[in-house]
Amino acid sequence: MHGFSHLYIPGPTNVPEEVRQAMNIPMEDMRAPDFCDFVRPVLEDIKKAYRLRNGRVFIYPSSGTGAWESAISNTLAPGDKVLMARFGQFSLLWADMAERLNLDVDLIEVEWGKGVPVEEYAAKLKADTDHAIKAVFVTHNETATGVTSDVKAVRDALDAASHPALLFVDGVSAIGSIPFEQEDWGVDLAVAGSQKGFMLPAGLGFLGVSDKALAINASNSPKMPRSYFAFDEMIKLNDTGYFPYTPPTQLLRGLRVSLDMMLAEGMEAVWARHAYLAEGVRQAVAQWEGCKLVAAAPEWQSNTVSAIYTPEGVDAKEVISIAYSKYRTSLGSGLNKLAGKAFRIGHLGSLNPVMLCGALSATEMALRDAGAKITPGAGVAAAQEHYRKHA
């Protein structure tokens, strides 16, 4: 077992060495008099990654799922009607959470491979003249299927209907990787996680909150029970540069460096880099006989993860197992109804073209070992040409 194991799942992503070294420090006092001088700039700079000028971003010691729960419990009440769409494992889980928290979920079922049905959302919002719908939920990037939805189009639908519903966005595998403009798109609550585009280990859940959502929370109209994820305690302590409970200080030190890297590169450049890397993977998949993207059309294709159907008769679980055990390469598994039918290549975070060419090479070998009749090197060559010509 020589060399490195290779990680090409859609999260956790590869951690840059600079970030890893920043976290390799002794434990520190999270109540020290000068700790606030470190925390306050982090809380301001993460807003820049969200493209949020007003409002605030909360940092929870949790996964993105914890930030989901915080968004719901701090702004909605049991029985509130919400509009959601289900088209993959993570939009499915979000809808399940909403139902568990006793929301009245108007759920639109969408074919896996497509994204948020904007026209159906627009029709429901226009028809809701009594404004019974209190929130509209958008899974920006469905990690299970490699599908990206149009968040701005949903905001436009809300505005066209003059509808006051809150706009919730699951941006866990989107924010920090693909275009996202919380302020300009009028997103009220946006969830992200440390282990994706922010290039950190799992353990931090991020929640961007608009002034509108903060005002609703402050009005005490939400009646949902909350304690650990309550906004008021976070606001009170964050304003002093501290947290209401023990923060993961090493992860925060890593976040400081990852934000520095992203903001120095520029968010537009970060987004362009992900698009460039993703297209190389798509060019490779197009050369693999019998394989195709789960994303049903180019407008749905994600720049952070590609979910790929294996050829007929080829078990995707076997492809993943061979890649891991024989070639020391981790590929993402097919989730739920895609289990055994598809695998995933994550192309977000700290990656470069040569790393992805390695991922594609290992994938080709694993596919062939599992019985796929693909031409050796065809996908890698297509990716190479893309990366050469569009560097």
Side-chain angles (χ1 to χ4, degrees):
M1 300 292 287
H2 298 288
F4 297 100
S5 293
H6 307 284
L7 187 67
Y8 297 106
I9 61 175
T13 61
N14 291 281
V15 176
E17 186 62 16
E18 303 96 311
V19 174
R20 193 180 70 81
Q21 291 291 343
M23 296 185 292
N24 187 22
I25 57 173
M27 291 295 98
E28 59 185 309
D29 179 4
M30 75 288 187
R31 301 282 179 254
D34 59 351
F35 191 67
C36 57
D37 298 330
F38 163 69
V39 170
R40 286 196 187 102
V42 171
L43 292 173
E44 282 303 308
D45 285 346
I46 195 170
K47 290 173 64 176
K48 298 174 185 176
Y50 268 75
R51 311 286 273 209
L52 183 62
R53 295 181 294 277
N54 300 294
R56 61 171 72 223
V57 177
F58 295 116
I59 301 175
Y60 290 106
S62 75
S63 66
T65 306
W68 275 359
E69 184 164 333
S70 177
I72 292 172
S73 64
N74 280 280
T75 59
L76 299 173
D80 279 353
K81 185 175 182 179
V82 298
L83 180 58
M84 307 184 78
R86 181 163 56 193
F87 45 85
Q89 178 66 9
F90 294 94
S91 52
L92 180 156
L93 291 172
W94 209 9
D96 178 66
M97 175 184 285
E99 291 172 345
R100 286 169 180 251
L101 294 175
N102 296 315
L103 297 179
D104 177 9
V105 180
D106 183 352
L107 185 61
I108 301 174
E109 295 287 355
V110 178
E111 174 190 348
W112 285 34
K114 297 182 179 180
V116 168
V118 176
E119 292 183 1
E120 290 184 63
Y121 271 25
K124 285 180 176 287
L125 291 167
K126 186 177 180 180
D128 183 33
T129 55
D130 293 334
H131 299 160
I133 297 171
K134 301 304 180 185
V136 178
F137 288 62
V138 177
T139 301
H140 190 186
N141 193 83
E142 176 51 75
T143 320
T145 58
V147 163
T148 297
S149 292
D150 191 341
V151 175
K152 185 179 182 301
V154 176
R155 165 45 62 193
D156 291 343
L158 280 159
D159 291 346
S162 298
H163 203 293
L166 292 167
L167 178 55
F168 284 62
V169 170
D170 172 357
V172 172
S173 60
I175 297 170
S177 301
I178 62 177
F180 181 76
E181 301 277 0
Q182 179 160 1
E183 193 87 26
D184 291 347
W185 294 352
V187 175
D188 293 298
L189 298 116
V191 175
S194 56
Q195 75 278 18
K196 306 281 187 175
F198 287 89
M199 306 178 292
L200 289 159
L204 296 177
F206 306 134
L207 177 59
V209 186
S210 71
D211 282 340
K212 175 182 174 181
L214 289 170
I216 288 174
N217 173 261
S219 71
N220 292 318
S221 59
K223 302 299 182 184
M224 198 169 287
R226 54 192 179 274
S227 176
Y228 182 82
F229 290 115
F231 282 2
D232 54 356
E233 288 299 308
M234 286 289 280
I235 291 170
K236 183 168 65 176
L237 270 295
N238 281 178
D239 283 349
T240 68
Y242 295 94
F243 295 88
Y245 30 64
T246 305
T249 55
Q250 289 173 305
L251 285 175
L252 291 174
R253 293 293 178 181
L255 176 61
R256 174 68 273 169
V257 175
S258 70
L259 286 172
D260 288 343
M261 294 173 68
M262 294 164 69
L263 297 176
E265 184 177 359
M267 295 310 298
E268 291 86 352
V270 170
W271 302 336
R273 171 167 53 84
H274 281 81
Y276 163 68
L277 293 173
E279 183 57 29
V281 174
R282 292 192 284 263
Q283 293 288 329
V285 175
Q287 299 301 314
W288 292 340
E289 295 91 337
C291 293
K292 67 175 182 177
L293 295 170
V294 174
E299 62 265 28
W300 300 117
Q301 291 171 356
S302 167
N303 285 339
T304 65
V305 54
S306 292
I308 303 156
Y309 283 119
T310 51
E312 188 71 28
V314 175
D315 185 349
K317 292 181 180 178
E318 186 179 1
V319 174
I320 295 165
S321 178
I322 292 170
Y324 182 78
S325 61
K326 191 172 181 180
Y327 302 118
R328 297 188 67 189
T329 298
S330 288
L331 302 174
S333 58
L335 301 175
N336 199 303
K337 64 176 66 178
L338 297 179
K341 299 178 181 179
F343 64 93
R344 295 176 295 157
I345 298 176
H347 33 77
L348 73 163
S350 184
L351 293 173
N352 59 44
V354 174
M355 293 169 72
L356 280 173
C357 283
L360 295 169
S361 176
T363 302
E364 286 190 354
M365 291 189 289
L367 278 165
R368 284 174 52 79
D369 289 348
K373 306 299 182 184
I374 65 172
T375 303
V380 176
Q384 288 174 334
E385 289 306 292
H386 165 75
Y387 293 138
R388 286 182 56 249
K389 292 177 180 177
H390 301 283

